Amino acid sequence: MRFRDRFGLRKNRGSTVTKFDREATDADIEALIAFARSRQGVEFYVEPETFATDTTAVAVAHDGEWTRRRVGAPQVIGKVARDLGLPVYDVQIVGYPPRMRAWNERNRDRRIDPGSPGEAVRS
């Protein structure tokens, strides 16, 4: 089977790969798209690559609910945002929106169940 680079992950990656992290996959991008399509007022915030983590994007809904996924390169989430007609920001320039922190505060008694990726459960 021949690999298709649906979201431009390989094309936009460049020659460096973060040492301790896995690379972004189509599933990561699809999760961001599904989040954006199932919620209102979504904005994307690009987080830079670090020594231990690939470039990531945080999708934040109007109520502050959010999800973070690897995207490989800022160009990838830029294309996704354009395709969905949603804004994308550099978190190093604009910071995180206050509604994200407010959502975290309202939901601080929730945690992610390691057995169910993305599923929040009550502690």
Side-chain angles (χ1 to χ4, degrees), residues 66-82:
W66 61 276
T67 189
R68 173 182 288 118
R69 296 289 189 275
R70 292 165 184 83
V71 294
Q75 297 89 336
V76 174
I77 195 61
K79 180 184 182 323
V80 169
R82 278 190 306 279

Side-chain angles (χ1 to χ4, degrees), residues 41-90:
V42 173
E43 298 172 330
F44 293 111
Y45 293 83
V46 178
E47 300 172 318
E49 178 178 343
T50 67
F51 179 71
T53 307
D54 201 0
T55 301
T56 54
V58 178
V60 183
H62 79 284
D63 63 353
E65 182 183 5
W66 61 276
T67 189
R68 173 182 288 118
R69 296 289 189 275
R70 292 165 184 83
V71 294
Q75 297 89 336
V76 174
I77 195 61
K79 180 184 182 323
V80 169
R82 278 190 306 279
D83 290 349
L84 295 173
L86 299 174
V88 61
Y89 304 105
D90 183 329

Side-chain angles (χ1 to χ4, degrees), residues 1 5 9 12 15 17 24 33-34 40 61 63 67 69 74 77-78 81 87 93 95 106 117:
M1 182 164 97
D5 192 9
L9 293 171
N12 290 307
S15 60
V17 177
I33 292 169
Q40 294 183 4
D63 63 353
T67 189
R69 296 289 189 275
I77 195 61
I93 296 172
R106 288 190 310 271

Side-chain angles (χ1 to χ4, degrees), residues 87-109:
V88 61
Y89 304 105
D90 183 329
V91 77
Q92 291 184 302
I93 296 172
V94 302
Y96 296 100
R99 68 184 184 276
M100 184 177 162
R101 286 189 180 88
W103 189 89
N104 286 343
E105 187 63 28
R106 288 190 310 271
N107 294 282
R108 71 176 178 265
D109 61 339

